């Protein structure tokens, strides 16, 4: 997928001024947060489960080579054809090769963020394959030729009216005005494709080493269709999704849907082990799993390693005040919100996503909501440090910080300088006590809000006065 | 070197730089053979009552029967009440029932795209979340619970287990290995992808009706 993270500030400003986007965000705001809060109340030991889940994910990562090899042995024994690939291009080529060597013309696809990373749909389409997204949100986005703005609710930036107009145009049918009718129209349009597609492509929520299985969750049932109806099934999965046992899967399942949508379990969990067996009444003749690195091993060896625990629930973005106001597109790549602010620089390069680690208030709502305890603000802070080390921050900011550091390490001078600023600030604030425009880098800060003016005395002056009285 | 060797070598060198982290109470081989359970939430409810309540919370409907022979009448009653077609398909294990006697036309074959009603069994059921556990196999077509607009599942009360961990344990005891696919089904197919408004019948069944058989 094209990376537009470098335009974060520009796109974020556009989204803030876009009435439609703001209305869609306002409509969604808080709904997932409230649902999650209710859902985790059902678990009287939620924090224990969360800690155990983080430990299990760390344990997986620390022994990833052994678990992947064990997974491959079991998957191969069940008849799964396993491919290992290092790059996005290699992954796309492998999928296309499987398709062309099996004379595949039509593919039905269940949602995969990894597929978004590699631009797989476009690649297959260029190779002459008809690819149909089947998750309703992804289908809407594909019809509109856009990208997802949320990892579990991809079309959350679009209103019912947008979708009604889109469907009327794309389906060549009368315009509908009802969400239920729109959903059922998409069902009707997609049903024949489920029945006659040659190949199904899914992602994988997890790989289970104990059994060599892949596992996906869906609410719509498109995942079951995609893994069962076509004669070929291809699952793409990045390597860090491998977990040890079915018990570990059960532990993580108590967290995933609750953290994502506030459901106690997703509607459908499908655990797939190999292709159709002798005598089975359904299932694909061939089952391929493509294990993908693209950047994971690099992150594993870096200080951003805890980000690989991620189970893709979306709780961090749902709880993020920045995401809630600008939506997902400004982040400019596959993963929005706090996890995107870490994964995007990690996978595509910090210099291409310079603003993302700064697009945070560090309120730590994301860190508190994360079901596997990824310390997201800490990771963003590490990226900020790297920006400074590598001189990627603006020159003015670097000079400013140096001046401040010089001043702050001279207590007498610092006290004198801050006394002047406190007094000048009080004057600048006028009767309202608000500063409307700051000089230099502060101008950006006051563009959208006022700064409460200093009251004329520094903290140290007030503290000293209190001690005297 | 192959891609596999490259990836594994990079994992090993990355992990060599980090001290072992996470849960170290089991080595990988111990963990794989002992499959320890993680911390479980308190589950002090009655499994059957919990299964019923959670099924309803997941938007399924539940009926209770005392003998297997009552199944056709219960299916007919449900279909009539909801103005649904009186014909469909069922898993072969229910092929011997007197469907005609209840005014139904039920064929013991996998579902095709236009079948309206599918009757299945269930390997077991999960009380924790109100979930049916369907296995693939020779006489357990996945299409029967997926393609029709109405899915009716028959489950014996003795097969209701407490937690997901219990499902795996039961499968290890009774089957030994996983079938091609295990599907956990919690109520009808749904989506909220348009303006976060919940709609049933996204791609799978619009409704799931559970017949609890207490023999």
């Amino acid at each position: 997928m094209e990376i537009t993270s470098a335009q974060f500030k520009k796109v974020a400003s556009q989204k803030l001024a876009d009435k439609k986007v703001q209305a869609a965000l306002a409509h969604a705001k808080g709904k997932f947060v409230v649902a999650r809060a209710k859902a985790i109340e059902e678990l009287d030991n939620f924090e224990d489960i969360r800690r155990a889940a983080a430990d299990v994910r760390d344990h997986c990562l620390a022994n990833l080579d052994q678990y992947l090899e064990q997974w491959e042995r079991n998957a191969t024994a069940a008849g799964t054809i396993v491919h290992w690939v290092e790059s996005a291009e290699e992954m796309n080529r492998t999928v296309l090769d499987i398709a062309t060597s099996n004379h595949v013309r039509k593919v039905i696809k269940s949602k995969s963020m990894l597929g978004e990373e590699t631009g797989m749909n476009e690649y297959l389409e260029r190779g002459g394959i008809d690819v149909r997204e089947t998750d309703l949100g992804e289908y809407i986005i594909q019809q509109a030729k856009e990208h997802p703005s949320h990892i579990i609710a991809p079309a959350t930036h679009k209103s019912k009216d947008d979708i009604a107009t889109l469907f009327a145009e794309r389906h060549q049918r009368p315009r509908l005005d009802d969400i239920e009718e729109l959903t059922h129209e998409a069902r009707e349009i997609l049903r024949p494709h489920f029945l006659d597609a040659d190949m199904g492509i899914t992602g994988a929520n997890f790989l289970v080493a104990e059994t060599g299985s892949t596992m996906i969750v869906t609410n719509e049932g498109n995942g079951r269709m995609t893994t069962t109806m076509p004669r070929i099934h291809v699952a793409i999965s990045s390597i860090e999704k491998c977990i040890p046992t079915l018990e570990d899967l059960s532990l993580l399942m108590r967290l995933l849907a609750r953290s994502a949508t506030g459901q106690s379990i997703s509607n459908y969990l499908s655990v797939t082990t190999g292709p159709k067996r002798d005598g089975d009444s359904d299932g694909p003749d061939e089952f391929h799993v493509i294990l993908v690195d693209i950047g994971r091993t690099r992150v594993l060896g870096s200080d951003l390693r805890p980000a690989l625990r991620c189970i893709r629930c979306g709780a961090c973005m749902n709880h993020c005040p920045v995401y809630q106001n600008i939506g997902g597109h400004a982040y400019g790549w596959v993963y929005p919100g706090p996890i995107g602010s870490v994964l995007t620089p990690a996978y595509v390069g910090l210099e291409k996503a310079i603003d993302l680690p700064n697009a945070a208030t560090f309120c730590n709502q994301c860190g508190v909501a994360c079901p596997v305890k990824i310390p997201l603000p800490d990771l963003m802070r590490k990226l900020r440090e790297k920006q400074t080390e590598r001189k990627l921050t603006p020159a003015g900011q670097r000079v400013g910080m140096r001046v401040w550091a010089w001043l702050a390490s001279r207590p007498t001078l610092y006290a004198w300088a801050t006394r002047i600023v406190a007094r000048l600030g009080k004057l600048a604030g006028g009767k309202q006590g608000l500063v409307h425009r700051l000089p230099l880098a502060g101008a950006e800060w006051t563009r959208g809000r006022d700064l409460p003016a200093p009251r004329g005395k520094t903290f140290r002056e007030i503290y000293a006065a209190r001690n005297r009285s | 070197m192959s891609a596999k060797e490259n990836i594994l070598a990079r994992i090993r060198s990355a992990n060599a730089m980090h001290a072992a982290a996470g849960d170290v109470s089991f080595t990988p081989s111990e963990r794989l053979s002992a499959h320890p359970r993680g911390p479980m939430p308190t589950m002090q409810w009655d499994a059957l009552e919990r299964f019923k309540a959670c099924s309803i919370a997941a938007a399924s409907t539940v009926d209770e029967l005392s003998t297997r022979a009552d199944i056709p009448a219960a299916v007919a009653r449900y279909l009539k009440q909801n103005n649904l077609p009186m014909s469909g398909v069922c898993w072969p294990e229910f092929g011997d029932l007197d469907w005609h006697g209840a005014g139904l036309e039920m064929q013991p074959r996998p579902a095709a795209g236009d079948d309206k009603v599918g009757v299945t069994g269930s390997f077991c059921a999960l009380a924790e979340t109100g979930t049916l556990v369907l296995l693939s196999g020779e006489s357990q077509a996945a299409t029967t619970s997926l393609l029709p607009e109405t899915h009716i599942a028959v489950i014996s009360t003795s097969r209701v287990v407490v937690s997901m961990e219990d499902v795996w344990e039961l499968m290890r005891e009774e089957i030994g290995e996983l079938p091609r696919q295990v599907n956990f089904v919690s109520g009808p197919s749904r989506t909220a992808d348009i303006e976060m408004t919940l709609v049933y019948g996204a791609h799978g069944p619009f409704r799931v009706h559970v017949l609890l058989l207490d023999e």
Side-chain angles (χ1 to χ4, degrees):
Chain A
M1 182 175 155
E2 196 196 349
I3 307 150
T4 56
S5 306
Q7 274 109 56
F8 176 82
K9 279 189 189 168
K10 193 176 119 201
V11 180
S13 303
Q14 284 166 4
K15 299 292 173 189
L16 283 167
D18 186 327
K19 287 205 177 88
K20 270 186 165 176
V21 172
Q22 288 301 311
L25 288 168
H27 184 78
K29 193 171 179 172
K31 286 202 173 133
F32 280 137
V33 174
V34 172
R36 171 195 171 272
K38 264 177 82 177
I40 66 170
E41 270 175 26
E42 295 169 358
L43 304 173
D44 58 348
N45 61 343
F46 173 71
E47 281 305 322
D48 291 346
I49 294 178
R50 192 169 164 250
R51 198 168 308 114
D55 279 349
V56 165
R57 292 295 291 138
D58 277 345
H59 171 84
C60 305
L61 296 173
N63 302 284
L64 191 57
D65 53 335
Q66 294 182 58
Y67 284 126
L68 283 169
E69 288 190 293
Q70 182 67 39
W71 179 86
E72 186 187 31
R73 271 193 294 278
N74 290 331
T76 308
T80 304
I81 303 165
V82 180
H83 310 256
W84 297 68
V85 304
E86 296 180 78
S87 69
E89 158 67 22
E90 222 182 309
M91 187 197 96
N92 291 343
R93 202 173 51 234
T94 306
V95 179
L96 184 61
D97 283 349
I98 296 168
T100 46
S101 63
N102 285 288
H103 312 288
V104 166
R105 281 197 299 261
K106 189 190 283 179
V107 164
I108 47 169
K109 186 163 164 282
S110 172
K111 205 160 122 47
S112 158
M113 299 319 287
L114 179 58
E116 297 286 338
E117 281 186 47
T118 68
M120 183 179 66
N121 287 4
E122 294 80 359
Y123 187 96
L124 293 176
E125 278 159 6
R126 281 197 299 276
I129 312 280
D130 176 357
V131 185
R132 307 279 166 154
E133 287 287 352
T134 60
D135 170 84
L136 178 61
E138 289 285 344
Y139 174 72
I140 292 166
I141 296 301
Q142 187 185 36
Q143 294 304 310
K145 298 189 168 60
E146 291 179 16
H147 292 292
S149 65
H150 190 290
I151 63 169
I152 61 160
T156 189
H157 60 286
K158 296 191 95 64
S159 68
K160 178 192 75 178
D161 283 341
D162 294 340
I163 295 162
T165 307
L166 177 74
F167 276 12
E169 189 195 303
R170 304 289 296 179
H171 298 161
Q172 294 288 310
R173 289 189 183 192
R175 192 175 187 279
L176 298 170
D177 192 40
D178 178 79
I179 291 175
E180 196 169 351
E181 286 174 9
L182 287 165
T183 303
H184 292 154
E185 183 172 284
R187 174 192 172 105
E188 245 177 75
I189 298 276
L190 281 164
R191 181 52 81 91
H193 297 303
F194 281 123
L195 298 177
D196 74 358
D198 310 289
M199 183 163 123
I201 302 180
T202 64
N205 289 83
F206 295 106
L207 306 171
V208 184
E210 177 192 359
T211 52
S213 313
T214 60
M215 201 284 295
I216 55 168
V217 303
T218 70
N219 279 315
E220 300 183 4
N222 58 322
R224 287 189 65 192
M225 297 269 198
T226 310
T227 57
T228 297
M229 306 303 290
R231 59 190 163 87
I232 317 275
H233 172 204
V234 178
I236 53 176
S237 173
S238 49
I239 51 174
E240 87 281 12
K241 299 291 184 77
C242 195
I243 58 169
T245 64
L246 295 166
E247 275 68 13
D248 296 321
L249 179 71
S250 311
L251 174 82
L252 291 162
M253 283 303 107
R254 283 196 186 92
L255 296 173
L256 180 61
R258 286 189 172 90
S259 302
T261 54
Q263 291 167 279
S264 52
I265 190 169
S266 301
N267 230 58
Y268 300 107
L269 268 60
S270 303
V271 180
T272 307
T273 316
K276 182 178 181 171
R277 311 242 170 115
D278 284 344
D280 271 5
S281 80
D282 37 38
D285 300 328
E286 274 183 31
F287 179 36
H288 296 258
V289 177
I290 306 179
L291 297 176
V292 185
D293 183 349
I294 43 173
R296 271 63 175 177
T297 50
R298 200 176 59 237
V299 176
L300 192 67
S302 77
D303 49 7
L304 302 176
R305 180 183 172 105
L308 293 177
R309 285 183 209 149
C310 178
I311 60 170
R312 305 284 190 267
C313 68
C316 61
M317 56 203 78
N318 295 337
H319 287 74
C320 176
V322 178
Y323 178 93
Q324 285 172 357
N325 282 289
I326 62 171
H329 282 151
Y331 292 84
W333 197 54
V334 179
Y335 305 100
I339 190 68
S341 294
V342 174
L343 290 183
T344 307
Y347 289 155
V348 310
L350 186 54
E351 62 291 339
K352 288 186 190 158
I354 196 76
D355 292 323
L356 295 194
N358 301 303
T361 64
F362 279 7
C363 64
N364 199 32
Q365 285 286 310
C366 52
V368 172
C370 177
V372 287
K373 296 174 82 82
I374 302 172
L376 287 155
D378 282 353
L379 300 185
M380 284 185 262
R381 191 177 296 113
K382 287 191 167 105
L383 286 163
R384 290 184 187 184
E385 284 164 10
K386 277 201 188 73
Q387 288 180 337
T388 309
E389 280 164 24
R390 289 167 53 186
K391 299 194 166 44
L392 292 169
T393 44
Q397 186 182 327
R398 273 179 284 135
V399 170
M401 291 308 274
R402 263 208 299 276
V403 170
W404 185 83
W406 182 84
L407 190 64
S409 52
R410 284 161 181 80
T412 317
L413 192 59
Y414 184 83
W416 176 78
T418 48
R419 268 206 297 274
I420 293 177
V421 171
R423 283 164 181 75
L424 284 177
K426 189 183 181 197
L427 279 175
K431 268 188 202 145
Q432 289 174 301
L434 291 171
V435 180
H436 304 301
R437 268 181 69 184
L438 284 171
L440 302 170
E444 186 76 6
W445 200 93
T446 44
R447 202 151 59 87
R449 45 181 150 13
D450 293 328
L451 176 77
R455 299 297 172 81
K457 286 216 164 90
T458 67
F459 173 79
R460 286 202 281 182
E461 285 177 290
I462 298 165
Y463 188 75
R466 281 225 181 133
N467 274 356
R468 272 197 302 274
S469 61
Chain B
M1 286 234 292
S2 70
K4 175 182 169 181
E5 285 163 348
N6 289 338
I7 292 170
L8 290 175
R10 282 201 297 271
I11 292 172
R12 285 172 193 136
S13 78
N15 277 338
M17 295 188 293
H18 292 265
D23 186 348
V24 291
S25 46
F26 293 89
T27 65
S29 59
E30 284 167 355
R31 194 170 190 99
L32 288 167
S33 55
H35 35 81
R37 292 183 177 197
M40 305 289 283
T42 309
M43 297 177 174
Q44 275 169 344
W45 21 259
D46 174 78
L48 198 57
E49 289 308 313
R50 169 84 181 189
F51 173 71
K52 284 190 260 179
C54 287
S55 296
I56 290 161
S60 297
T61 46
V62 180
D63 194 2
E64 292 169 74
L65 316 178
S66 51
T67 71
R68 192 169 172 276
D70 293 342
I71 294 172
V75 169
R77 192 164 60 239
Y78 171 76
L79 294 176
K80 229 179 249 161
Q81 269 169 9
N82 292 282
N83 276 325
L84 296 167
M86 301 294 280
S87 64
V89 294
C90 64
W91 278 3
E93 64 180 281
F94 302 110
D96 63 316
L97 293 171
D98 181 15
W99 297 105
H100 280 289
L104 291 164
E105 192 64 53
M106 284 289 165
Q107 296 176 36
R109 57 161 175 84
D114 48 3
D115 288 311
K116 298 294 178 207
V117 178
V119 178
T120 73
S122 182
F123 172 73
C124 66
L126 180 48
E128 186 183 359
T129 45
T131 302
L132 302 164
V133 182
L134 307 176
L135 311 186
S136 63
E138 198 166 339
S139 46
Q140 293 131 257
T143 51
T144 314
S145 61
L146 186 58
L147 296 179
E149 292 177 0
T150 303
H151 172 206
I152 299 175
V154 181
I155 174 85
S156 162
T157 51
S158 64
R159 301 292 291 178
V160 177
V161 302
V162 172
S163 68
M164 192 181 283
E165 285 85 343
D166 293 341
V167 175
W168 307 124
E169 211 45 63
L170 198 60
M171 231 172 268
R172 286 184 190 116
E173 272 168 31
E174 294 184 359
I175 314 175
E177 57 165 15
L178 294 186
R180 179 191 82 85
Q181 199 165 59
V182 182
N183 278 296
F184 289 78
V185 176
S186 310
S189 155
R190 70 195 66 188
T191 184
D193 275 351
I194 304 178
E195 293 193 350
M196 299 183 81
T197 302
L198 185 62
V199 178
Y200 293 108
H203 292 300
F206 287 68
R207 53 196 84 78
V208 174
H209 186 54
V210 179
L211 298 180
L212 263 174
L213 196 56
D214 187 11
E215 279 178 313

